[in-house]
Amino acid sequence: MKIPLKLEYACRVLIQLRPTYTTGEIRRVENLADREKISPNYLVQILNELRNAGLVESRRGKNGGYVLAQDPEAITLDHIVRAVEGPFLQLNGSTDGESGETTAKLWKTVASSIEDELKKHSLASMGDPGEAGMWMI
């Protein structure tokens, strides 16, 4: 199973925005994109999804940009995943065949365990950008 690149980028940009919750400092897309080596156009798409989920706020104008909308302690990996990807493990719901129900039940258990784990990790607990090799994503 691969973690989507968009999800990784969303986590990275939120870590960059984490200090803005207390400072109110607005971060420009160009600066965020440069710091994380992400295409600015792609980053805007990700930031719009995070904004629609209520995780970031955008400010318009010449000095516009983005700030974190919620306390980093309140934002979990589950929130981030759902903002950019939807449910982490989507089941197709098919219970056809003799083993369909058994298999579906197994995948529901796995999905529930993953969701529980994602809820344990907050944005506040993720490593700082300056800590090379210490990311906790």
Side-chain angles (χ1 to χ4, degrees), residues 7 11 14 55 70-83 115-126:
L7 176 56
C11 290
L14 286 170
L55 302 181
Q70 297 182 32
D71 186 331
E73 288 286 348
I75 299 173
T76 65
L77 275 175
D78 185 58
H79 292 119
I80 301 167
V81 169
R82 289 178 184 279
E115 287 175 7
D116 289 346
E117 189 64 29
L118 291 172
K119 291 174 183 175
K120 291 179 185 178
H121 302 280
S122 73
L123 180 59
S125 69
M126 294 182 193

Side-chain angles (χ1 to χ4, degrees), residues 39-52:
S39 159
N41 291 334
Y42 190 43
L43 184 56
V44 167
Q45 293 174 25
I46 294 168
L47 286 164
N48 282 333
E49 291 181 20
L50 295 171
R51 183 180 48 80
N52 290 338

Side-chain angles (χ1 to χ4, degrees), residues 50-64:
L50 295 171
R51 183 180 48 80
N52 290 338
L55 302 181
V56 301
E57 293 177 357
S58 62
R59 307 283 164 81
R60 294 180 177 251
K62 180 181 172 186
N63 296 317

Side-chain angles (χ1 to χ4, degrees), residues 8 14 17 19 21 23 36 49 58 60 66 74 82 86 99 106 109:
E8 182 181 332
L14 286 170
L17 290 173
Y21 182 73
T23 67
E36 290 300 330
E49 291 181 20
S58 62
R60 294 180 177 251
Y66 292 85
R82 289 178 184 279
S99 303
L106 171 66
T109 301

